[in-house]
């Protein structure tokens, strides 16, 4: 938006700025920066960002940040031009029609267009209406999408620099910073800087965002740091002087310095580890930078000689690098007063990458007449391979622990071409729903793939699609950053054309499998209908229309009637077998179990003598509950009923427990009395695979053990049988013998007291 220009406002593009942002550039690079300033400055006049920051100041500040990262001239010039006002939602012009390309060339124009595409993504994400778009997994998807959209890693660096500049402006001008802006910085941009290992940007972003999100906590930690600052600085100065002298005496060239502490890092560690400020051992810290790995271990030995090490706080990230390749030695030692402090030891190359991360290779010039420090080598290719794996790297950046740090090793730059290395692979793309939820799809995915990813039914009903608001054919290949909206029918299914790879409707194997399953289900239903008609027609011919079809299928060797129908429809089963089945002589009647007997004279149910004593009460009517059928030596409890005396239950009976919870005053203590002459009915549950003669074999067990069976209830379903026998027993011993014997009957899977 525009605002009235401030009269006589100093230009941000002064000589000091030019000297700062031109550092490390050759004459051609300086000329490109001057050309960008001349082209952009009149277009900046009176223009302000939505935050209120003058766009000219913003552009100048972004270039300063990028110059500190030692980026190339094209990146710095493009960052300045990308800050110019533009309609982010308008489609990017082709390079042929792009005025930036005409004035500065295709490389700068691509960087500008890529940066504006990321800005557009940020606008769409902030307008998200889907709650899921705010989840941790979606934040990770957005980071991946940012990297994937940036075909050139420099575009991500430009976006990070722009965000950092906006935070600095809020801090310098004391203009209010929205909570959403600061939260987005912590959720999206600081983890991106962390992933690329650009710690200078990461730490400053985190501190500034934390300052706006939690101003009181920020001030509290800042105040605590300031209170101890003089004492801390005095200790650090003394430790540096002492360690430097010892290293020099041993012939080790080293740079020893104090390591800066960051407020957000301190707060995060206090929060995650539950520590008080006074317990933070690394508020005082030294960093030692030496020439080679051997010197690292020499310096470590000297540190441990001079101060007492805390063994559990030692980490050797040189011999065992962190997952992303970070290498350094970390140790914690205590001074003469027992106060702990941290020491980090690393080589210059390790430090280079710990500070600049994946941007570090721009600090080096190709070896040549101008005195470059590091020659080009295959190490640079290794770094690029690592960059290409960024999208597949699922480091947990939400957990709040110590951040992983980047790889070390000798990079080798290759001029501008080195900076233009791609930051992603071509295997995945990232598109947005209309609610700004990021969806990950395989490269080459179409709107149909997108619909099936969201929901199988939506994929089946997909009939059209809008991409960035424009209707497109369903075979359109999607690109990272596009917003996709599916147009669906109320009902219906997929087209068989979608399975034709030549037509290009589907790229995802998962979506193709869902389409294939739909057609398989349709085909199966058609076969079932066709086969059922054939079977029923044959039964009608035989005059057997009253037959149970499920039982018929099982008699013919099929698990279900549907399986019989499918076999008949596919002509894998001859209908003559049905006729043959009915022609077979009826099988001999299965011997029936011995007739159920009446309850014996000594049965508790028949005699009314339960053998239960009500504690503390004389003659009182008791009856055994049928819900759980208690028998000695079960633990029992009594419940006083209305008009039927005391009902005796097993203590673990669900019915009793419900009654006792509802009316605890009616519970009464009971115990077994004389039970030797009494039979007690118990229910035994038997589960088995149904077969011919099963009931006979089970009955023989009861007959052999001389147990009176007074009730049988059987159920059979799909070749599984469930039988409940009510058997009279005298006690737990005879019941156990019965259960063991029943379990040994062939086909029985379980026999248990019910």
């Amino acid at each position: 938006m525009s605002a009235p220009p401030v009269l006589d406002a100093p230009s941000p593009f002064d000589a000091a700025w030019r000297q700062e942002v031109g550092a490390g550039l050759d004459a051609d690079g300086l000329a490109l920066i001057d050309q960008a300033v001349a082209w952009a400055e009149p277009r900046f006049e009176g223009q302000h960002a939505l935050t209120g920051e003058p766009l000219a100041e913003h552009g100048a500040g972004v270039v300063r940040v990028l110059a500190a990262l030692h980026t190339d001239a094209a990146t710095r010039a493009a960052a300045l031009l990308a800050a110019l006002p533009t309609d982010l939602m308008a489609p990017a012009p082709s390079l042929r029609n792009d005025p930036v390309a005409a004035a500065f060339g295709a490389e700068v124009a691509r960087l500008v267009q890529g940066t504006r595409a990321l800005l557009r993504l940020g606008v769409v994400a902030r307008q998200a209406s889907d709650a899921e778009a705010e989840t941790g997994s979606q934040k990770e998807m957005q980071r991946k999408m940012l990297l994937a959209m940036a075909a050139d890693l420099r575009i991500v660096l430009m976006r990070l620099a722009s965000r950092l500049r906006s935070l600095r402006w809020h801090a310098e001008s004391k203009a209010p910073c929205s909570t959403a802006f600061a939260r987005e910085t912590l959720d999206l941009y600081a983890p991106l800087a962390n992933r690329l290992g650009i710690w200078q940007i990461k730490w400053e972003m985190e501190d500034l965002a934390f300052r706006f999100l939690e101003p009181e906590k920020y001030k509290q930690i800042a105040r605590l740091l300031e209170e101890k600052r003089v004492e801390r600085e005095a200790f650090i100065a003394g430790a540096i002087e002492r360690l430097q002298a010892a290293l020099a005496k041993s012939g080790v060239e080293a740079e020893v310095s104090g390591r800066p502490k960051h407020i957000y890092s301190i707060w995060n560690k206090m929060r995650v580890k539950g520590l008080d400020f006074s317990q933070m051992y690394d508020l005082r810290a030294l960093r030692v930078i030496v020439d080679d790995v051997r010197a690292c271990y020499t310096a470590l030995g000297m540190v441990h000689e001079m101060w007492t090490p805390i063994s559990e706080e030692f980490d050797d990230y040189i011999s065992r690098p962190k997952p992303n390749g970070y290498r350094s030695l970390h140790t914690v030692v205590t001074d003469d007063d027992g106060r702990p402090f941290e020491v980090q030891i690393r080589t210059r190359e390790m430090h280079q990458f710990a500070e600049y991360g994946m941007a570090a290779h721009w600090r080096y010039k190709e070896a040549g007449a101008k005195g470059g420090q590091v020659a080009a080598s295959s190490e640079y290719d290794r770094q690029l391979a690592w960059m290409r794996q960024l999208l597949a790297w699922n480091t947990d950046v939400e957990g709040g622990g110590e951040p992983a740090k980047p790889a070390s090793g000798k990079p080798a730059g290759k001029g501008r071409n080195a900076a233009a290395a791609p930051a992603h692979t071509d295997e995945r793309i990232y598109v947005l729903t209309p609610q700004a939820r990021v969806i990950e799809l395989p490269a080459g995915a179409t709107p149909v793939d997108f619909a099936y990813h969201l929901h199988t039914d939506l994929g089946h009903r997909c009939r059209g699609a809008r991409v960035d608001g424009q209707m497109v054919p369903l075979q359109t290949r999607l690109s990272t950053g596009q917003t996709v909206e599916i147009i669906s029918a109320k009902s219906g299914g997929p087209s068989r054309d979608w399975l034709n790879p030549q037509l290009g409707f589907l790229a995802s194997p998962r979506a193709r499998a869902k389409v294939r399953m739909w057609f398989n289900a349709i085909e199966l239903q058609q076969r079932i209908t066709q086969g059922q008609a054939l079977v029923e027609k044959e039964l009608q011919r035989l005059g057997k229309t009253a037959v149970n079809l499920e039982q018929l299928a099982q008699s013919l060797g099929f698990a279900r009637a549907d399986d019989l129908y499918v076999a008949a429809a596919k002509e894998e089963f001859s209908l003559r077998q049905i006729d043959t089945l009915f022609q077979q002589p009826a099988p001999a009647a299965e011997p029936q179990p011995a007739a159920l007997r009446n309850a014996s004279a000594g049965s508790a149910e028949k005699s009314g003598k339960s053998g239960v004593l009500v504690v503390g009460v004389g003659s009182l009517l008791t009856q055994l509950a049928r819900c759980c059928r208690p028998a000695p030596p079960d633990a029992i409890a009594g419940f006083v009923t209305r008009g039927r005396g005391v009902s005796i239950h097993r203590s673990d009976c669900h019915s009793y427990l419900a009654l006792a919870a509802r009316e605890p005053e009616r519970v009464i203590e009971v115990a077994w009395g004389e039970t030797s002459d009494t039979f007690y009915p118990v229910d035994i549950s038997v589960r088995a695979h149904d077969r011919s003669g099963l009931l006979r074999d089970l009955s023989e067990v009861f007959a052999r053990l001389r147990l009176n069976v007074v009730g049988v209830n059987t159920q059979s379903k799909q070749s599984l049988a469930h039988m409940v026998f009510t058997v009279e027993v005298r006690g737990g011993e005879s019941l156990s013998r019965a259960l063991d014997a029943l379990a040994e009957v062939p086909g029985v899977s379980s026999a248990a007291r019910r």
Side-chain angles (χ1 to χ4, degrees), residues 366-400:
E366 189 169 3
K370 295 186 179 180
Q373 297 174 333
V374 179
S377 73
S378 61
E379 187 68 20
Y380 172 68
D381 297 327
R382 186 179 69 79
Q383 293 296 330
L384 291 189
W386 188 83
M387 284 164 51
R388 293 187 185 101
Q389 293 168 11
L390 284 172
L391 290 181
W393 181 19
N394 283 323
T395 301
D396 180 14
V397 291
E398 305 289 350

Side-chain angles (χ1 to χ4, degrees), residues 409-460:
K410 295 182 180 180
K414 296 185 181 179
R416 285 190 189 177
N417 292 335
H424 64 95
T425 66
D426 295 328
E427 296 176 357
R428 312 298 290 173
I429 62 168
Y430 301 86
V431 295
L432 296 163
T433 67
Q435 296 77 31
R437 185 155 59 97
V438 181
I439 302 297
E440 184 179 26
L441 296 170
T446 66
V448 185
D449 289 303
F450 174 84
Y452 274 109
H453 184 95
L454 292 181
H455 196 281
T456 301
D457 186 55
L458 180 64
H460 292 337

Side-chain angles (χ1 to χ4, degrees), residues 638-640 642 659-669:
F639 186 83
V640 180
R642 290 182 171 86
L659 291 169
R662 191 165 62 244
E663 298 179 89
E665 70 280 0
R666 302 172 77 87
V667 173
I668 191 167
E669 188 177 351

Side-chain angles (χ1 to χ4, degrees), residues 202-313:
K202 173 192 183 306
W203 293 124
E204 189 174 355
M205 272 188 178
E206 288 181 338
D207 277 3
L208 289 172
F210 180 58
R211 173 178 174 179
F212 299 133
L213 282 173
E214 302 282 357
E216 294 305 318
K217 292 176 182 174
Y218 180 92
K219 289 175 185 175
Q220 178 187 5
I221 295 174
R223 187 169 58 251
L224 291 169
L225 284 171
E226 183 62 27
E227 288 173 0
K228 300 286 185 178
R229 182 176 61 83
V230 175
E231 176 189 336
R232 190 168 60 250
E233 289 177 352
F235 169 81
I236 293 295
I240 289 174
E241 183 178 354
R242 184 179 170 190
L243 183 56
Q244 275 182 328
L247 290 169
K249 187 176 180 181
S250 299
V252 177
E253 291 188 17
E255 298 172 15
V256 185
S257 60
R259 186 165 66 86
K261 293 306 299 176
H262 301 280
I263 291 177
Y264 179 78
S265 172
I266 293 171
W267 173 81
N268 208 28
K269 188 174 291 187
M270 290 169 61
R271 177 179 63 89
V272 171
K273 296 189 176 182
L275 301 175
D276 187 70
F277 184 81
S278 60
Q279 297 173 291
M280 298 290 289
Y281 64 78
D282 57 350
L283 293 176
R284 303 181 304 164
L286 298 182
R287 178 173 291 146
V288 182
I289 300 175
V290 295
D291 291 333
D292 54 37
V293 171
R294 183 176 180 179
C296 288
Y297 289 99
T298 302
L300 176 69
M302 299 190 67
V303 168
H304 285 178
E305 282 181 13
M306 297 170 66
W307 294 288
T308 304
I310 301 176
S311 58
E312 60 268 22
E313 296 293 343

Side-chain angles (χ1 to χ4, degrees), residues 53 57-58 61-62 161-169 172:
E53 179 185 12
E57 288 185 19
H58 181 82
V62 172
S162 175
R163 176 54 60 107
L164 178 58
R165 170 57 206 169
S166 296
L167 292 167
R168 286 178 177 176
W169 179 80
E172 293 163 0

Side-chain angles (χ1 to χ4, degrees), residues 11-45:
S11 170
F13 309 108
D14 54 18
W17 177 85
R18 186 182 183 281
Q19 182 178 1
E20 185 177 349
V21 303
L25 299 181
D26 57 17
D28 291 342
L30 290 172
L32 182 62
I33 299 297
D34 290 339
Q35 181 189 356
V37 170
W39 200 83
E41 192 166 20
R43 293 172 170 81
F44 276 131
E45 187 174 348

